[in-house]
Amino acid sequence: MDQQLYPLNLRELILNTRKPIVLKNFKHQWTCFENGLDKWCELYDAHSPETPEFERIALGESSEPQWERKRQQIRISATEFLHDHSSERNYWSGLNYKRKNDIPEECSKGVDFGCFGFPHATDDCTFWLSSKGANTPCHYDTYGCNIVVQVFGRKSWLLFPPSNTVLTPTRIPYEESSVYCKENFYAPNSKEFTQLEQLKGQSYQCILEPNDVLIVPRHWWHYVEALEISLNVNAWIPLTCDIDNQIEECITKHIMETFIRNSSDDIKSFVMNPNHLSAIAKSEELFNILEYLLEQKLSEDVHKEDAKKSGISHRYHYLNESEFTAIKHSIRNLFEVPIIADDEWVEYLRRQSSRYHSKSLLQNEQDSVYNSLSHIQEAMLNSLCSPNVVNAIKVELLNRYNKQNKNYN
């Protein structure tokens, strides 16, 4: 069966996938990429109003995950990026999380997630241009499910189910819609190595090749690392069940921003992801949003009907297993991402941990000055913002808000 002729089948597949899957050699026919990566970068440079800003960090920076706050910002052209990373470097660079509207129109011409059954997702898709070693610390996305199209180069994806109890959730650094884990998959130390060994039987891995498409189900943890210069485009598909997580994220945002409002600049820079430092909302704005979400949640049946009519958000996991299996069998070149064998998982951890280098005393002193957040403050924030606690607050808030409404009406 030709995948290109059956976007509705693909939409059903994506919305009902329980475990990560890969569509191999998917012919998306997006015209902006048809002349190769070199030409795409030339297009970017020719039509961009300013020199793009890349993130950069040393390959040896490995005492903790390579958080965005630790990266430098450098302005170089996309063509200079390709030339600079044509040979081995002791750092990596990335043009990360660039939304479609933030890049030249010529560089997104023809990109259309309608081929997967989600045309509305096209305008919100994001582009990632990465050198070898570029990585995203392990996290899960609080909203939607994820379609990842590998256009050029190769990337390694490690994925873990939401049910695992090995990873330690943290909201520091805080980024709305991302829950990170404290463990350093880039270069685990000896304690982390022992802990991460417990993920045997729960670790999934795939190497995305050009034209592969990865479907990441809702709330699956993932650690991503570029194996060579690569470009991929992804889109998060909004789901009707996202409203619960939107309420939880609103609660988390209130807790985090209330804490940092009276904090020093050093603490703000440590707690907040750089892209959120200038996005602090006023309390009344936040509570207006929260009230709107609570109203939507309490009238959920109406909300779902509206969502189905608008096509902006989608039902999730609505097919039974036999119906889903039939959809899977109707699509060519579809593979489930495999669980890594136990011995291969240990070997993977050994390779990653060989990158770990203890910091010098001077570096530790510098970090202690920069990280002026005390251990008790960090523990308190992460306790208040842990997914289980925030979920409990949401349930209590919904109950109280609903009772108040009934009393007033």
Side-chain angles (χ1 to χ4, degrees):
M1 180 177 287
D2 189 340
Q3 294 174 24
Q4 299 301 96
L5 299 178
Y6 293 92
L8 291 181
N9 281 43
L10 285 175
R11 184 174 69 180
E12 299 262 284
L13 174 83
I14 291 163
L15 291 175
N16 289 280
T17 296
R18 274 70 165 179
K19 294 181 180 179
I21 57 174
V22 172
L23 305 172
K24 296 291 291 183
N25 197 29
F26 187 91
K27 304 299 183 184
H28 48 71
Q29 298 177 343
W30 293 346
T31 53
C32 58
F33 303 123
E34 60 188 7
N35 295 318
L37 182 57
D38 287 2
K39 292 296 183 183
W40 187 87
C41 288
E42 289 177 13
L43 267 180
Y44 197 112
D45 294 334
H47 296 280
S48 178
E50 59 182 6
T51 305
E53 191 171 63
F54 284 78
E55 296 177 331
R56 176 174 289 178
I57 190 170
L59 293 174
E61 175 49 75
S62 60
S63 64
E64 61 177 347
Q66 294 191 314
W67 307 120
E68 285 185 41
R69 64 171 180 256
K70 301 172 73 66
R71 305 172 193 173
Q72 294 180 321
Q73 306 296 319
I74 59 160
R75 287 198 178 274
I76 56 171
S77 70
T79 303
E80 287 173 323
F81 160 82
L82 288 183
H83 181 267
D84 186 46
H85 289 281
S86 61
S87 57
E88 293 292 328
R89 290 285 182 260
N90 61 356
Y91 52 81
W92 62 257
S93 308
L95 189 65
N96 297 325
Y97 212 131
K98 303 300 289 185
R99 292 193 178 276
K100 180 174 177 285
N101 293 336
D102 295 332
I103 68 172
E105 185 178 348
E106 290 77 7
C107 292
S108 64
K109 190 171 292 184
V111 172
D112 184 2
F113 279 77
C115 62
F116 301 105
F118 302 100
H120 288 95
T122 303
D123 288 340
D124 290 326
C125 70
T126 57
F127 291 66
W128 307 73
L129 178 62
S130 311
S131 71
K132 180 180 179 181
N135 65 90
T136 303
C138 187
H139 69 286
Y140 70 82
D141 305 311
T142 56
Y143 308 142
C145 59
N146 195 358
I147 303 174
V148 183
V149 181
Q150 191 68 30
V151 182
F152 300 113
R154 297 180 305 139
K155 271 190 170 179
S156 166
W157 281 72
L158 281 181
L159 301 113
F160 312 98
S163 58
N164 90 82
T165 57
V166 176
L167 301 178
T168 310
T170 180
R171 294 314 299 256
I172 302 172
Y174 169 72
E175 178 179 80
E176 186 179 356
S177 81
S178 297
V179 177
Y180 292 99
C181 75
K182 293 179 73 70
E183 288 72 36
N184 181 9
F185 281 87
Y186 176 76
N189 60 34
S190 57
K191 288 183 179 179
E192 288 172 325
F193 183 103
T194 301
Q195 177 184 346
L196 295 177
E197 271 192 296
Q198 299 173 44
L199 285 166
K200 288 177 180 177
Q202 302 181 74
S203 304
Y204 297 69
Q205 186 185 29
C206 63
I207 307 298
L208 291 189
E209 308 277 349
N211 296 320
D212 286 352
V213 178
L214 171 65
I215 310 303
V216 182
R218 180 174 181 258
H219 287 182
W220 274 67
W221 294 90
H222 46 281
Y223 168 75
V224 188
E225 183 172 333
L227 303 180
E228 57 195 27
I229 294 175
S230 66
L231 175 69
N232 64 276
V233 183
N234 83 295
W236 288 277
I237 305 305
L239 308 171
T240 54
C241 53
D242 285 343
I243 191 165
D244 279 284
N245 302 117
Q246 289 170 334
I247 294 171
E248 291 165 4
E249 287 298 278
C250 215
I251 293 167
T252 303
K253 186 177 178 69
H254 173 67
I255 293 169
M256 298 298 290
E257 293 188 353
T258 298
F259 171 79
I260 67 150
R261 274 195 183 95
N262 296 317
S263 298
S264 68
D265 289 343
D266 283 346
I267 287 181
K268 288 178 183 177
S269 297
F270 183 82
V271 170
M272 306 293 281
N273 222 36
N275 59 343
H276 274 63
L277 270 172
S278 59
I280 300 172
K282 293 182 179 179
S283 291
E284 55 267 30
E285 293 175 356
L286 198 55
F287 279 106
N288 286 339
I289 294 169
L290 183 56
E291 184 174 22
Y292 170 79
L293 293 171
L294 292 171
E295 291 287 347
Q296 294 297 302
K297 175 62 180 175
L298 292 172
S299 58
E300 199 168 44
D301 291 338
V302 175
H303 178 73
K304 285 181 179 178
E305 285 303 314
D306 290 343
K308 281 190 282 185
K309 290 174 185 175
S310 69
I312 293 173
S313 62
H314 304 267
R315 294 162 59 214
Y316 196 57
H317 289 179
Y318 51 85
L319 296 181
N320 62 38
E321 194 59 40
S322 61
E323 292 171 324
F324 177 60
T325 300
I327 292 286
K328 282 200 299 184
H329 289 164
S330 74
I331 297 173
R332 292 189 297 112
N333 297 331
L334 183 154
F335 300 90
E336 292 187 350
V337 176
I339 295 177
I340 307 174
D342 289 354
D343 57 341
E344 292 177 0
W345 176 238
V346 173
E347 182 55 34
Y348 174 87
L349 291 176
R350 283 190 183 125
R351 288 197 303 272
Q352 297 296 102
S353 64
S354 67
R355 295 168 165 173
Y356 178 79
H357 299 288
S358 297
K359 285 191 163 189
S360 69
L361 178 60
L362 177 60
Q363 287 174 309
N364 281 325
E365 288 173 351
Q366 290 172 340
D367 273 3
S368 67
V369 172
Y370 178 67
N371 177 11
S372 49
L373 187 72
S374 70
H375 293 310
I376 187 62
Q377 288 175 316
E378 185 171 354
M380 175 65 84
L381 275 177
N382 273 322
S383 297
L384 289 172
C385 297
S386 69
N388 290 337
V389 171
V390 173
N391 178 65
I393 295 173
K394 177 196 70 180
V395 171
E396 180 69 16
L397 178 60
L398 280 165
N399 287 337
R400 288 177 178 270
Y401 185 77
N402 194 25
K403 285 180 182 178
Q404 285 179 350
N405 278 358
K406 288 179 178 178
N407 288 338
Y408 288 134
N409 296 331

